[in-house]
Amino acid sequence: MTYSGVVTVGGPADVHELPDLMISKVAVGPMNNNAYLLRCRATDEQLLIDAAADPHTLLSLIGESGIASVVTTHRHQDHWNALREVVDATGARTLAGRYDAEGIPVPTDVAVEDGDTVRVGRVELTARHLVGHTPGSIALIYDDPHGHPHVFTGDCLFPGGVGNTWKDPEAFESLINDVETKLFDRLPDETWVYPGHGDDTTLGAERPHLAEWRERGW
């Protein structure tokens, strides 16, 4: 089956099958949050990105093999509503950006710095701080050795723009600068973007609009 990245709350997961990594995407909760289950194909170790809501849905997706880790992309409640239930059920260690960890009520086992490596089995992802939507939002980049990169952006990059900065000019400037320098300037157009809500996109689809986003200020 061809992966589209289009999912609906209550609907099935969409699975992106890569040579070394399986990515399962589901939509959960009243704010249509995306949660992503990553499984290393060599070891079957699993990592969840954003235990956002609907713990039953997430635990069914995880299955009996459990997860080793759960990463929270940022401190906003709609991205951690099911975190306690998932951690209690699986014993997974928790990771979050260093500057958002204090805003997440479930204790963070690993405070992630910019440039840190996050592992799931033999697969390595690179964390990047993208500051502006929150002080400690992180994106996770998987540079697939067999193809193009994949980046999980939380609420920092969506189809059509960067995340909400609530008309704060300094926060917007910080976020768009980080998104440009840490994502667009370093990664190719083919890079697949998995956001915290809604449909996926690619850097190539969004790149022509960067100047437009700066001009409009959001």
Side-chain angles (χ1 to χ4, degrees):
M1 296 292 291
T2 301
Y3 175 79
S4 69
V6 177
V7 292
T8 57
V9 176
D14 197 9
V15 182
H16 206 167
E17 299 190 22
L18 306 178
D20 297 334
L21 185 68
M22 299 281 283
I23 302 168
S24 299
K25 176 182 180 179
V26 292
V28 293
M31 298 184 69
N32 192 34
N33 285 74
N34 295 325
Y36 299 94
L37 182 68
L38 279 55
R39 177 168 65 84
C40 170
R41 298 183 77 149
T43 67
D44 286 333
E45 184 172 294
Q46 297 190 126
L47 175 151
L48 182 69
I49 298 175
D50 283 346
D54 300 348
H56 177 75
T57 297
L58 298 179
L59 291 171
S60 295
L61 179 69
I62 290 165
E64 294 183 0
S65 56
I67 53 173
S69 307
V70 55
V71 177
T72 303
T73 58
H74 63 289
R75 66 172 64 184
H76 289 158
Q77 183 173 353
D78 60 307
H79 291 260
W80 51 255
N81 269 315
L83 183 58
R84 170 54 65 196
E85 290 90 338
V86 168
V87 169
D88 285 350
T90 63
R93 65 175 185 164
T94 56
L95 297 86
R98 175 168 299 281
Y99 303 108
D100 266 14
E102 65 183 15
I104 300 169
V106 179
T108 296
D109 297 320
V110 180
V112 178
E113 303 280 6
D114 186 66
D116 278 359
T117 297
V118 175
R119 292 180 173 84
V120 51
R122 297 178 187 170
V123 171
E124 295 186 350
L125 303 100
T126 301
R128 290 296 176 197
H129 282 183
L130 304 175
V131 179
H133 182 68
T134 66
S137 290
I138 56 171
L140 294 176
I141 301 168
Y142 171 52
D143 192 359
D144 186 354
H146 308 284
H148 55 74
H150 300 256
V151 56
F152 302 87
T153 56
D155 282 2
C156 290
L157 178 64
F158 297 98
V162 296
N164 195 345
T165 52
W166 296 275
K167 299 182 179 180
D168 180 333
E170 290 186 8
F172 171 74
E173 186 73 12
S174 173
L175 181 56
I176 198 163
N177 284 344
D178 277 358
V179 165
E180 280 204 52
T181 59
K182 296 180 181 182
L183 300 183
F184 284 96
D185 288 354
R186 299 183 184 185
L187 300 172
D189 283 351
E190 296 78 14
T191 302
W192 196 278
V193 176
Y194 305 82
H197 304 261
D199 295 344
D200 299 355
T201 187
T202 64
L203 290 188
E206 307 305 323
R207 193 184 302 275
H209 305 289
L210 286 168
E212 171 191 335
W213 300 350
R214 282 192 177 274
E215 178 68 22
R216 74 187 185 192
W218 55 274

